[in-house]
Amino acid sequence: MLASISLNGDWSFRFDGDSAWSSLPVPGCWDALGHKDRSGPAWYRRTFTVPADWAGRRVWLRFDGVSYACTVSVNDREVARHVGAWDGFDVEITAAVVPGKDADLLVRVEKPAGLSHGPESETMPGNYPLRETLSGFLPYVWGHMFGGIWQDVTLYATGRVAC
């Protein structure tokens, strides 16, 4: 039997180099805060509790969509890296958590860097140029890609064997 808990809701958020954290809903995008032209990196943070009755089970995080590249850490332990805006991914966090105890989740996200003025203009700073990111997937159109944890996040437990 699969047990799950939604981690959607207000998360703490800040851009790399900023000292203050603000609140940002997940799912959502930092573009909604008026930061359309920033590719990141940005940080998402929240605390969750693994239910005590999940002891002896495997514990996972499911991200249904993060744009575009992310690193996931739980209790200061890197547990996953993922690149791709459209595909979800699961990461086992059993070794990083203790059932019945709080856990700190930190997600570092970078979105594709858009162009500054039009199709032939310079790319804004960022590690993932928009043109290359969309190559072969979508026809290139000038503009910007959204950034953030834009789909649901779920904490779940499975038995010892997960299919």
Side-chain angles (χ1 to χ4, degrees):
M1 178 179 192
L2 186 69
S4 67
I5 298 169
S6 173
L7 296 183
N8 293 349
D10 288 332
W11 288 44
S12 296
F13 172 85
R14 72 174 175 82
F15 282 105
D16 209 31
D18 292 351
S19 58
W21 292 86
S22 60
S23 180
L24 186 65
V26 169
C29 302
W30 66 68
D31 306 69
L33 296 177
H35 299 295
K36 182 174 152 186
D37 295 335
R38 291 186 75 174
S39 59
W43 297 87
Y44 286 78
R45 177 178 76 182
R46 72 157 293 154
T47 300
F48 62 90
T49 303
V50 176
D53 63 354
W54 288 10
R57 301 176 85 182
R58 294 171 71 184
V59 181
W60 303 79
L61 287 171
R62 168 76 185 166
F63 291 85
D64 286 338
V66 178
S67 178
Y68 170 71
C70 70
T71 303
V72 179
S73 298
V74 176
N75 291 332
D76 297 321
R77 179 188 292 187
E78 184 177 314
V79 293
R81 289 178 183 240
H82 181 78
V83 176
W86 311 110
D87 53 338
F89 63 97
D90 297 86
V91 55
E92 184 174 5
I93 62 169
T94 307
V97 297
V98 177
K101 303 277 186 177
D102 285 348
D104 295 313
L105 173 58
L106 188 65
V107 183
R108 181 184 185 273
V109 181
E110 288 186 67
K111 77 173 187 174
L115 300 176
S116 57
H117 298 90
E120 303 306 320
S121 66
E122 294 292 317
T123 299
M124 289 182 281
N127 292 318
Y128 302 95
L130 181 63
R131 192 182 311 255
E132 285 82 3
T133 302
L134 298 179
S135 178
F137 180 65
L138 294 172
Y140 179 75
V141 292
W142 176 65
H144 302 275
M145 182 75 173
F146 56 88
I149 303 174
W150 68 283
Q151 292 291 324
D152 295 332
V153 180
T154 306
L155 176 70
Y156 69 96
T158 64
R160 291 186 182 152
V161 177
C163 300

